[in-house]
Amino acid sequence: MKTKGKQTGSIQPRKRSFLETLKKDWSLWTFCIPGIILTFIFSYIPMYGVQIAFRRFNAKQGIWESPWVGLRYFQRFIDSPYFVRTVTNTLILSIYGLIVSFPIPILLALMLNAFRHKRYRKVIQTITYAPNFISTIVMCGMLILFLSPSVGIINTVIKSFGGEAINFMAKKEYWRHLYVWSGVWQGMGWSSVIYFAALSGISPELHEAAKCDGATKFQIIRYIDFPSILPTATIQLILSCGSILSIGFEKAFALQNDLNTSVSEIISTYVYKVGMIDNNMSYSSAIGLFNTMVNLVILIIVNKAADKMSGTSLF
């Protein structure tokens, strides 16, 4: 902690230099080397290719020899008829998913932490963790099969009660709900792990003192458990907001068809179609870079707001 004015009557410890810290904790820094190398190879070296977003890329000419066009492809995307639709669909899907999926793992962790029957708690944890290990493509296939109007179990139940089969995947009003809630089912258990870790760090003495004072389980959760995991939840919220336009491509593309494209066409699927199908690498790179820059701006804004409101931030 920094203090102003002249210090008297106390000896301030000498601040160690980076080399001294590295020499003392060299064994801990060694564990960071593989992560640093992989990050450099797969995250920093590819930045060299970002410049094709500003060039009319030609594979024969290479990156440096391709003609420079500046912000032409960014302007093209903004002026295109797909801009408003793809950005709007991405924002709606991201915000909807964030509102629904962010608090559920917290609630799950708090409830299971208050559940004192360890055997049943482990069973519930295993059941909620299991969907995370299902492949995204397999999960999409399960959704399409279960919701099939001819052989799907959902429509079989509906028809058994005298109703008519519904083609859920062809109705755009159902698509966003299916996308978001299937993601909640698949990821809530695994996402709650980090909150379990935070809850395990709470001193048992706090719970014992609260019980001696007559606190109920709800009061213990409200005044001890929840405040203890709030910094962790804040960091998770900042990270989620920082990737608000980066929705996974695989799931959206696998669940997409011609009848729901008006709501399922998002930035990532549009980038795939432009870059891989239309073979316009420069245009798709410009869209991807635009997406990254918007995410960066949102991350900085949310991080600053969180720092002012709660004192917790990434940087």
Side-chain angles (χ1 to χ4, degrees), residues 233-276:
T234 302
I235 295 297
Q236 290 295 103
L237 180 61
I238 294 172
L239 293 174
S240 298
C241 291
S243 58
I244 199 166
L245 289 182
S246 299
I247 302 178
F249 157 77
E250 297 90 350
K251 185 177 177 181
F253 189 74
L255 296 177
Q256 189 179 88
N257 57 54
D258 293 336
L259 298 175
N260 61 34
T261 308
S262 60
V263 295
S264 63
E265 187 73 291
I266 57 178
I267 292 178
S268 59
T269 58
Y270 184 61
V271 167
Y272 168 77
K273 292 175 182 178
V274 169
M276 302 302 294

Side-chain angles (χ1 to χ4, degrees), residues 2-42:
K2 296 181 179 179
T3 57
K4 295 182 179 180
K6 188 177 181 180
Q7 298 290 334
T8 59
S10 62
I11 299 176
Q12 295 296 324
R14 185 176 68 88
K15 186 176 181 180
R16 290 187 300 175
S17 65
F18 175 74
L19 291 177
E20 290 175 335
T21 304
L22 184 63
K23 184 177 179 180
K24 181 179 180 181
D25 302 325
W26 66 270
S27 58
L28 297 177
W29 285 95
T30 304
F31 285 101
C32 299
I33 293 177
I36 294 173
I37 293 174
L38 291 175
T39 301
F40 179 76
I41 293 174
F42 294 104

Side-chain angles (χ1 to χ4, degrees), residues 2 124 134 175 201 211 241 271 291:
K2 296 181 179 179
I124 296 173
I134 300 176
W175 193 87
K211 291 177 181 177
C241 291
V271 167
N291 187 18

Side-chain angles (χ1 to χ4, degrees), residues 44-61:
Y44 284 92
I45 293 179
M47 287 184 182
Y48 167 78
V50 170
Q51 60 180 301
I52 68 174
F54 306 94
R55 297 177 182 272
R56 189 168 64 248
F57 177 68
N58 188 311
K60 292 183 179 179
Q61 294 177 318

